[in-house]
Amino acid sequence: MVSTLRGLLSFSGYVINTLFWFPWVILLGLLKLLPIAPLQRGCTVLLDGIAGIWIGINNLNQRLLSRTRVITHALPELNPKQWYLVIANHQSWVDILMLQRVFNGKIPFLKFFLKRELLYVPFLGLCWWALDFPFMRRYSKSFLAKNPHLKGKDREATRKACEKFHYQPVSIMNFVEGTRFTPAKKARQESPFPTLLKPKVGGVAMSLDAMGGKMKRLLDVTIYYPAGIPSFWDYLCGRVPKVELWIEEHCLEPINRLDYQKREDKGTYQSWLNQIWSEKAGKLAALEHQQERQDC
């Protein structure tokens, strides 16, 4: 009963916070439609500032009501005036809250690549649009085989979305597994990693290509839930006692020199990401083993 009440209070806090900022975000988003470059850039700065305040209030909500201990290991020296690419393993909607909680104010505001269908989520969809979150249409190989004229459109859309990020530092977030981990998805993929899906390098490659070498730092985040993967509601109710995050920084200079359209470079790209994922899988396996010993 107490945890349910805590969850309802926490959820109400998120809703009130979002509705308070919603009109301002939409107004600035509409102003950005005017073809005046200084006005557009000024609105972008204000919008990212509002988003930072919104996340800060959400973080306060979490500390007061969810009471989850968030332990960050090996946090590198970060710069809010640097361009970053951020990748992480994906298990729950809580992952996004953890990333926002750890990085808010330390690096530029996180922008996620979103499925185009999410544009129609009430309130949030319009906010994501105003904040320049890239909305993507993903085409399957079978669909492209039937509609060859659409081949390359995803790359073109990525480049167009990232054009707005050249003038002001930004952090582009990519869940390279493409979807949240479940044992069923792992089995379908025949993933070699015990608690990870196979990483997809295409989104990372297109983002780096679209940014033209401006993005020089990669932040690789490993998220671990010692008590098991939680739902968003579990988190709101305070049923997630602890979350641990490891953040490793990598230089992207060698990767920026690759051309993903070349077959040999595509293999290098995939090997680079597979190596990162292999190390992440080893880290998660060691943590699971350590947790099992503690539970015995």
Side-chain angles (χ1 to χ4, degrees):
M1 190 69 177
V2 173
S3 65
T4 300
L5 179 60
R6 183 183 290 124
L8 291 171
L9 287 172
S10 183
F11 182 73
S12 299
Y14 281 106
V15 171
I16 293 168
N17 188 25
T18 301
L19 292 179
F20 175 81
W21 294 109
F22 178 76
W24 301 102
V25 170
I26 297 306
L27 175 61
L28 289 168
L30 292 173
L31 280 175
K32 280 206 303 182
L33 295 176
L34 297 173
I36 305 171
L39 176 65
Q40 291 174 337
R41 292 173 192 172
C43 287
T44 296
V45 171
L46 288 173
L47 281 164
D48 285 357
I50 286 173
I53 297 170
W54 175 72
I55 291 171
I57 295 171
N58 286 342
N59 289 345
L60 179 62
N61 177 336
Q62 294 168 37
R63 289 185 175 92
L64 292 175
L65 294 170
S66 299
R67 299 182 180 180
T68 299
R69 286 179 60 214
V70 180
I71 301 172
T72 306
H73 300 273
L75 185 67
E77 185 176 343
L78 302 174
N79 184 353
K81 296 183 179 180
Q82 174 69 268
W83 278 261
Y84 288 98
L85 176 66
V86 183
I87 62 173
N89 55 314
H90 193 18
Q91 306 156 88
S92 165
W93 279 101
V94 181
D95 299 341
I96 297 173
L97 297 179
M98 291 298 101
L99 293 167
Q100 291 176 335
R101 184 162 168 174
V102 168
F103 288 128
N104 190 41
K106 296 183 179 70
I107 63 175
F109 178 62
L110 285 168
K111 312 266 183 171
F112 294 80
F113 278 86
L114 300 172
K115 296 177 184 177
R116 193 167 183 82
E117 293 77 14
L118 293 176
L119 179 60
Y120 305 104
V121 174
F123 298 106
L124 286 176
L126 286 174
C127 288
W128 291 327
W129 163 78
L131 288 163
D132 291 327
F133 278 50
F135 288 92
M136 307 298 296
R137 278 197 178 99
R138 294 291 173 85
Y139 303 113
S140 65
K141 289 182 179 179
S142 58
F143 182 83
L144 287 174
K146 296 177 183 176
N147 301 273
H149 64 287
L150 293 176
K151 191 173 182 180
K153 289 291 184 182
D154 53 350
R155 189 164 181 256
E156 182 183 324
T158 302
R159 185 181 295 279
K160 188 174 181 180
C162 289
E163 282 177 2
K164 300 176 183 179
F165 302 153
H166 281 261
Y167 308 105
Q168 180 181 328
V170 69
S171 302
I172 296 179
M173 175 65 218
N174 195 315
F175 287 117
V176 296
E177 292 164 296
T179 184
R180 283 170 286 171
F181 173 89
T182 66
K185 292 174 185 175
K186 168 185 157 53
R188 279 199 301 271
Q189 278 193 357
E190 298 182 352
S191 171
F193 310 111
T195 55
L196 296 170
L197 301 178
K198 293 178 181 178
K200 300 176 180 178
V201 77
V204 168
M206 286 192 291
S207 299
L208 293 177
D209 178 58
M211 291 303 295
K214 211 170 188 78
M215 202 164 283
K216 296 180 172 60
R217 311 305 298 175
L218 170 73
L219 297 177
D220 170 35
V221 185
T222 301
I223 306 172
Y224 175 61
Y225 299 101
I229 299 172
S231 67
F232 179 58
W233 181 244
D234 287 333
Y235 183 67
L236 294 184
C237 292
R239 298 173 189 150
V240 184
K242 185 171 72 170
V243 182
E244 297 187 55
L245 295 94
W246 278 259
I247 301 166
E248 296 183 49
E249 187 173 23
H250 300 268
C251 177
L252 286 171
E253 293 282 6
I255 303 302
N256 278 326
R257 291 195 287 267
L258 299 176
D259 183 354
Y260 187 65
Q261 300 308 304
K262 295 180 179 178
R263 181 175 296 180
E264 61 272 20
D265 284 356
K266 184 178 289 190
T268 304
Y269 248 120
Q270 189 66 62
S271 297
W272 165 73
L273 189 56
N274 285 347
Q275 180 61 33
I276 291 175
W277 233 239
S278 180
E279 292 171 5
K280 188 185 298 289
K283 185 176 296 175
L284 289 169
L287 288 167
E288 284 289 347
H289 180 68
Q290 181 181 339
Q291 188 63 38
E292 288 173 1
R293 291 184 62 182
Q294 290 176 1
D295 292 341
C296 290

